[in-house]
Amino acid sequence: MKVRTRYEAPEETNIPGIIYLPSVPIVDTEVFEPCRLFDNLYFIGTRFIGTLVVTTREGLVLIDSMNCRRDVEEIIYPGLAKLGLDGEKILAVIITHGHFDHFGGAAAIQQRSGCQVVMSRRDEVFMQEPDNQVPEQFARDGVEYPQVTSHVEDGTELVFGGTGFRFSFTPGHTPGGISLVLPVYDQGEKHMVSIWGGINPPGDKSACRTYIDSAVHFQKFSREAGCDVEFSLHPFVDYSLEKMEKIRCRKKGAGHPLVIGPDGVSLFMEIVKVNAKQKLGTLL
């Protein structure tokens, strides 16, 4: 499978169909056509970053919120409308960690919908720290911080509209990152999706060790939850861009491109660990 990028990943961190970890982040702001992934799960965003939309019997839950208010107004809400989803019925925004490309649009969504905002207590602080800088292209209109209404810890389970979200505390990428698992359905058949909250290992040696420990923990967490689907909010790192294109033209009865089985999910996390250990070896 050809990867559409100008970057080359080391062979040991590029397993076609599972994971692709380039040495340099791919910041591609081209809007990706909104896509229905499962009966109750959708993707809206760019080729670099997006939000996952979970439909429940009472409304929508968004996982991450892209970069800023402009993304909300120009990408997220138009994407919801295109998918036939009611943007006025957003119950919650879950923020996986305190980097701008994950929390940046949450305040605008919260102001419009009155929704809850969920993240870890540590990263609620981290996202507003002076050293956590936002690039000028996204900060020129002012950085907006949401009002966090619920904090989650390792093992927390929250239920929105009858759908359960189980959280794992996975610091390292940021001081208080979280990852999560939740049920999704394909033509009524249940699957469990694993969402690793921060794909890039940090440049600090201590934080990188923490990141590796978190990856070990979440690998086990996902296995015990029976996860057979993995999806990254940075969809270029796990072939999700290619898989979503396959979903659009999927024929009835064909296998689901995102269902990789428990071993596939575990392999994804294994390569996350390999990549972090490689980086740790370069740090002073």
Side-chain angles (χ1 to χ4, degrees):
M1 183 182 298
K2 183 175 177 56
V3 180
R4 300 177 190 137
T5 170
R6 64 183 183 276
Y7 302 114
E8 294 298 331
E11 183 177 352
E12 60 270 31
T13 59
N14 185 7
I15 298 178
I18 301 291
I19 189 167
Y20 173 78
L21 294 176
S23 57
V24 180
I26 304 169
V27 182
D28 187 342
T29 58
E30 178 187 351
V31 176
F32 191 80
E33 185 70 15
C35 184
R36 183 176 186 174
L37 310 180
F38 289 90
D39 299 353
N40 62 324
L41 186 68
Y42 302 75
F43 175 83
I44 298 172
T46 67
R47 299 179 68 86
F48 174 68
I49 186 68
T51 181
L52 282 172
V53 183
V54 184
T55 57
T56 79
R57 62 179 180 233
E58 295 176 8
L60 309 178
V61 175
L62 273 57
I63 303 172
D64 285 344
S65 61
M66 300 191 68
N67 301 285
C68 58
R69 179 176 290 269
R70 289 197 312 278
D71 282 353
V72 172
E73 295 172 347
E74 297 175 8
I75 300 176
I76 293 179
Y77 273 95
L80 290 172
K82 186 172 287 190
L83 291 167
L85 302 176
D86 188 349
E88 304 309 314
K89 291 186 177 180
I90 296 176
L91 305 175
V93 176
I94 295 168
I95 301 173
T96 58
H97 62 277
H99 284 153
F100 74 96
D101 53 340
H102 296 261
F103 78 77
I109 297 169
Q110 187 177 45
Q111 289 166 16
R112 179 164 172 170
S113 68
C115 69
Q116 298 186 49
V117 173
V118 178
M119 67 187 305
S120 78
R121 191 178 300 275
R122 177 63 187 89
D123 261 23
E124 180 186 12
V125 175
F126 168 74
M127 72 176 173
Q128 300 184 58
E129 291 178 354
D131 290 342
N132 186 22
Q133 297 180 350
V134 178
E136 174 59 28
Q137 69 187 102
F138 297 114
R140 63 175 180 262
D141 296 327
V143 181
E144 299 177 274
Y145 301 103
Q147 180 181 351
V148 179
T149 58
S150 297
H151 296 107
V152 293
E153 301 174 350
D154 197 61
T156 298
E157 181 169 2
L158 297 177
V159 178
F160 295 104
T163 299
F165 298 76
R166 290 183 55 210
F167 296 89
S168 176
F169 186 60
T170 52
H173 182 69
T174 62
I178 56 174
S179 301
L180 66 152
V181 303
L182 66 140
V184 294
Y185 299 87
D186 177 34
Q187 300 175 24
E189 181 181 353
K190 182 179 178 181
H191 298 275
M192 290 293 293
V193 62
S194 167
I195 301 170
W196 174 238
I199 194 64
N200 194 34
D204 174 81
K205 201 165 189 176
S206 176
C208 194
R209 290 196 183 100
T210 298
Y211 180 95
I212 294 168
D213 290 342
S214 291
V216 171
H217 175 64
F218 190 60
Q219 183 181 36
K220 181 180 179 183
F221 189 92
S222 295
R223 173 73 76 169
E224 291 176 347
C227 292
D228 57 354
V229 177
E230 174 281 326
F231 196 93
S232 173
L233 275 301
H234 290 289
F236 66 90
V237 305
D238 57 0
Y239 291 88
S240 285
L241 295 173
E242 289 81 3
K243 290 176 181 180
M244 286 190 283
E245 295 295 1
K246 290 182 178 180
I247 289 171
R248 297 190 209 280
C249 58
R250 180 188 178 200
K251 295 181 179 179
K252 187 175 181 179
H256 197 295
L258 286 170
V259 177
I260 58 176
D263 289 344
V265 174
S266 185
L267 180 58
F268 176 88
M269 291 307 305
E270 192 66 34
I271 302 306
V272 166
K273 290 189 292 182
V274 168
N275 185 57
K277 288 176 181 178
Q278 287 178 339
K279 184 162 188 177
L280 181 63
T282 69
L283 300 176
L284 299 177

